[in-house]
Every structure is written in structure tokens, then in C-alpha cells.
């Protein structure tokens, strides 16, 4: 049971991080363009307008996907309650892989939205 609780906590770190940063990014994210923290791609860092747009768009995706991921993680791990540690460990690894895939995949719709809203120099269309 102790291992199951540990894996539940570990598997909830990514969804809670997505929810928290998603909300922060939705509300504007980092105020200044920087190379350390935030949604940093060449297109998002063109100017202040692209920076803010990218954070709001990606934040919305992360916030929604974080809640979906949270619910899916809890349901999956509840189904594994009382199972062998190997089963719980393997399933947890798959869950974390899926959560990371969602984070990485969030770049695609955000970049698509940036390219739709702005030209290659960062000017609004």
C-alpha cells in the first residue's frame, strides 16, 4: 500500500504542475521575455505581443489538459489499488510517459496559433 501511495503522489506531480503553471501562464506568465523561464520558442520570443499570446494560449492548453490528466491518473491508479508493485510501477511509468507527451504536444497547437495570428516577423496579421 505504501508503494501505491508513493506512486500516486509522484504521478500527480505533473498534472498539478500543469494546472499551476497553466493558470499562471493564462494570466500573463513572465512579464519580460527571457531565456530562462516561460514558453520559449523563437516565434514566442519575437516581441512582447507574441510572448503574451503564446503564454495565454499554452496556459489554456496546460490548464485543461492538467485537469484531464489528473482525473485519468487518479482513476488509473485507483484501478491498480492492491495490485503487485511491478504492475503499479509499470503502469505509473506509462502514465508519466503519457503526461510528458501531453506537455510536449502542447507546443504544436501553440506554435500553429502563433503562426496564424502573427507573420514571421511577429507582427499581427
Amino acid at each position: 500500500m505504501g508503494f501505491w501511495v508513493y506512486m500516486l503522489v509522484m504521478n500527480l506531480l505533473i498534472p498539478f504542475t500543469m494546472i499551476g503553471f497553466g493558470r499562471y501562464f493564462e494570466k500573463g506568465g513572465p512579464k519580460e521575455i527571457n531565456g530562462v523561464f516561460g514558453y520559449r520558442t523563437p516565434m514566442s520570443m519575437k516581441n512582447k505581443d507574441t510572448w503574451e499570446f503564446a503564454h495565454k494560449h499554452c496556459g489554456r492548453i496546460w490548464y485543461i489538459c492538467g485537469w484531464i490528466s489528473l482525473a485519468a491518473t487518479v482513476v488509473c491508479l485507483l484501478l491498480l489499488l492492491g495490485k503487485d508493485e511491478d504492475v503499479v510501477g509499470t503502469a505509473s511509468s506509462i502514465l508519466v510517459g503519457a503526461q510528458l507527451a501531453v506537455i510536449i504536444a502542447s507546443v504544436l497547437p501553440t506554435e500553429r496559433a502563433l503562426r496564424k495570428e502573427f507573420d514571421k516577423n511577429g507582427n499581427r496579421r
Side-chain angles (χ1 to χ4, degrees):
M1 181 68 169
F3 182 72
W4 182 87
V5 171
Y6 173 76
M7 293 311 294
L8 175 66
V9 170
M10 292 298 107
N11 278 283
L12 293 179
L13 289 176
I14 293 174
F16 279 128
T17 300
M18 288 179 70
I19 292 166
F21 279 109
R23 178 58 78 198
Y24 174 67
F25 285 173
E26 259 188 314
K27 293 185 177 188
K31 299 301 175 208
E32 300 299 320
I33 299 172
N34 67 80
V36 179
F37 175 67
Y39 182 87
R40 299 174 325 272
T41 64
M43 188 62 184
S44 71
M45 296 174 75
K46 292 277 185 193
N47 58 48
K48 186 87 164 146
D49 202 18
T50 58
W51 180 256
E52 290 172 0
F53 179 88
H55 280 87
K56 287 181 181 175
H57 192 274
C58 184
R60 220 172 300 120
I61 293 169
W62 275 24
Y63 186 74
I64 292 166
C65 289
W67 281 109
I68 293 168
S69 182
L70 177 78
T73 298
V74 169
V75 167
C76 287
L77 283 172
L78 283 174
L79 293 172
L80 297 173
L81 191 58
K83 300 288 186 201
D84 185 59
E85 285 185 5
D86 289 339
V87 173
V88 174
T90 301
S92 293
S93 297
I94 293 168
L95 282 170
V96 168
Q99 293 167 351
L100 291 174
V102 169
I103 289 174
I104 293 167
S106 68
V107 172
L108 298 173
T110 303
E111 288 300 305
R112 196 173 310 123
L114 277 166
R115 302 229 184 274
K116 185 177 179 183
E117 187 74 20
F118 300 94
D119 65 19
K120 66 180 180 177
N121 298 316
N123 301 311
R124 282 202 183 261
R125 295 185 189 268

